[in-house]
Amino acid sequence: PPFQIDGNFGAAAGIAATLLLISNPEVLQWGRSIMLEIPALAMMMLFLIASEKYLDTPSWGRSVAVGIIAFCMLMTKQTVIFMLGVVVIRALATGTWRSFLSPKAIPALLATTIGIAGVIVHAMVLGKSGMAAVVNRTDALLVGWLGSNVPLMIKQMLGWFGIPIWIAAIAGTVFAVRAGEGRITGVLWGWIVLGLLFFPFLTGLEDNLFRYGIYISVPVYMLAARLIPVFGANRLAQAAVIAALVIAALPGALRGLSTEHPYIDGLEDVAEYVASLENKAPVLFCCRHDGGYVFNMRRLDPERRSVTLRAVSYTHLRAHETGRHISYAVFCLKRGGGGGGG
């Protein structure tokens, strides 16, 4: 579990939530790409654990650890910046917010601030989507944020988890509150609501909003798994709950296992060509399933003398060009659809 949970959450709920997470076909899909969703999720968990350790027992060492982890988390993927809000919610809900005011918090706050500054600079200089939208296009985004983007995000999340899992999460919430676990339940729902509000602020594209479901998967699945220890004394009822969760997750798991995840051949040749160039200027490329190119570039250029910048689409790739980084050659592999390519 991402928190040191007291009461009846415990290890069983944590294990069940983890199994539900990895059975989600969308998690399998994005785990096979190099969009960094899975490493970002791992850094989020590490950040939450380290932050909780510091909040409960502040120390200089723990503060330094939180700062380093927060910085690395923000450098892994910009969208995880919303997890800073989750930690604030946790601190307020548990009354440990005064730990932020301690001098011992300085290393954590300083490193986190540097990380946020790096995110903002990256958004302003290198991109026109993602976190750049917050910096460069705030006024335009505010117009459709609550009116269309948030409702679309909610609709996408109903599809991501499925109605049965949401019902289980709501039922788990009720039982947790009745068991006196209102604070930690409030933190988990705060995490969910913050994600539902934050990601529509970045984009209104259906595909991106759907992908961002991975960032709120942990609290949803933990609340659903909370039903397991409710009937701890009644083994038959507990087995029924486990069976119900398995049935709810089974269609998605089977779909994920039976789905062919594409692997694009031919990028080895492109990597060899790029590695052979005398010109070591940045090379921009885009392709969702481009792990083969990255792997071969690391093999051919272990010292990373050639600079490679990646984007998710041809249009996005061009958005990464600046006055200092103009690509002299672009390559892009597409499997149908509109847009461009070259």
Side-chain angles (χ1 to χ4, degrees):
F3 298 96
Q4 298 172 23
I5 296 173
D6 5 287
N8 296 319
F9 267 82
I15 293 172
T18 302
L19 293 176
L20 288 171
L21 174 70
I22 63 177
S23 69
N24 189 308
E26 303 305 328
V27 173
L28 295 176
Q29 163 70 12
W30 292 106
R32 287 176 167 88
S33 73
I34 63 165
M35 297 293 288
L36 297 180
E37 315 298 351
I38 299 302
L41 189 64
M43 291 302 301
M44 286 163 49
M45 297 301 98
L46 188 59
F47 173 66
L48 287 172
I49 293 171
S51 298
E52 184 169 71
K53 293 281 188 181
Y54 171 78
L55 288 172
D56 290 340
T57 310
S59 69
W60 289 103
R62 291 181 176 184
S63 178
V64 170
V66 169
I68 293 174
I69 293 171
F71 178 83
C72 293
M73 178 184 72
L74 293 169
M75 294 300 101
T76 299
K77 197 166 182 68
Q78 301 167 337
T79 45
V80 298
I81 194 172
F82 89 106
M83 292 308 297
L84 301 178
V86 175
V87 170
V88 171
I89 292 173
R90 193 273 183 192
L92 293 174
T94 56
T96 55
W97 58 271
R98 292 180 181 83
S99 298
F100 288 134
L101 306 179
S102 168
K104 296 175 183 177
I106 293 176
L109 295 176
L110 180 61
T112 302
T113 301
I114 294 173
I116 294 174
V119 168
I120 293 174
V121 169
H122 178 275
M124 295 178 67
V125 174
L126 294 178
K128 295 182 180 179
S129 61
M131 284 304 301
V134 177
V135 179
N136 296 328
R137 298 187 292 120
T138 301
D139 294 340
L141 281 172
L142 284 174
V143 175
W145 176 43
L146 291 177
S148 59
N149 292 6
V150 171
L152 179 59
M153 178 72 176
I154 294 173
K155 177 183 176 182
Q156 295 287 60
M157 292 307 96
L158 290 176
W160 175 281
F161 298 102
I163 299 298
I165 291 297
W166 279 111
I167 293 175
I170 294 172
T173 299
V174 173
F175 282 107
V177 171
R178 290 179 60 183
E181 299 165 357
R183 285 187 175 182
I184 192 61
T185 305
V187 172
L188 293 174
W189 273 105
W191 182 345
I192 295 170
V193 172
L194 190 61
L196 292 176
L197 294 176
F198 174 75
F199 293 112
F201 191 67
L202 300 183
T203 180
L205 299 177
E206 289 191 31
D207 288 347
N208 280 343
L209 288 177
F210 192 69
R211 170 162 57 97
Y212 290 147
I214 197 169
Y215 293 108
I216 64 171
S217 294
V218 171
V220 172
Y221 286 134
M222 286 194 67
L223 290 169
R226 174 62 180 81
L227 287 174
I228 294 176
V230 167
F231 305 99
N234 188 330
R235 294 303 178 92
L236 184 61
Q238 192 176 54
V241 171
I242 294 174
L245 290 175
V246 169
I247 292 172
L250 191 59
L254 292 177
R255 178 162 59 90
L257 292 174
S258 61
T259 300
E260 181 181 353
H261 296 273
Y263 177 83
I264 298 176
D265 294 321
L267 294 182
E268 296 88 347
D269 296 335
V270 177
E272 290 181 4
Y273 172 74
V274 172
S276 68
L277 296 177
E278 294 184 3
N279 189 339
K280 299 304 179 183
V283 176
L284 303 178
F285 74 105
C286 60
C287 194
R288 281 236 169 133
H289 304 277
D290 46 21
Y293 171 78
V294 174
F295 174 81
N296 283 281
M297 280 302 298
R298 297 294 175 261
R299 175 177 60 84
L300 296 168
D301 183 21
E303 298 180 2
R304 304 191 182 189
R305 294 182 299 272
S306 297
V307 180
T308 295
L309 302 178
R310 181 185 177 281
V312 297
S313 68
Y314 181 78
T315 305
H316 187 183
L317 184 149
R318 285 299 187 183
H320 276 270
E321 293 185 333
T322 68
R324 292 174 296 171
H325 296 98
I326 300 296
S327 58
Y328 62 91
V330 175
F331 67 90
C332 172
L333 300 181
K334 290 178 63 68
R335 293 185 300 137

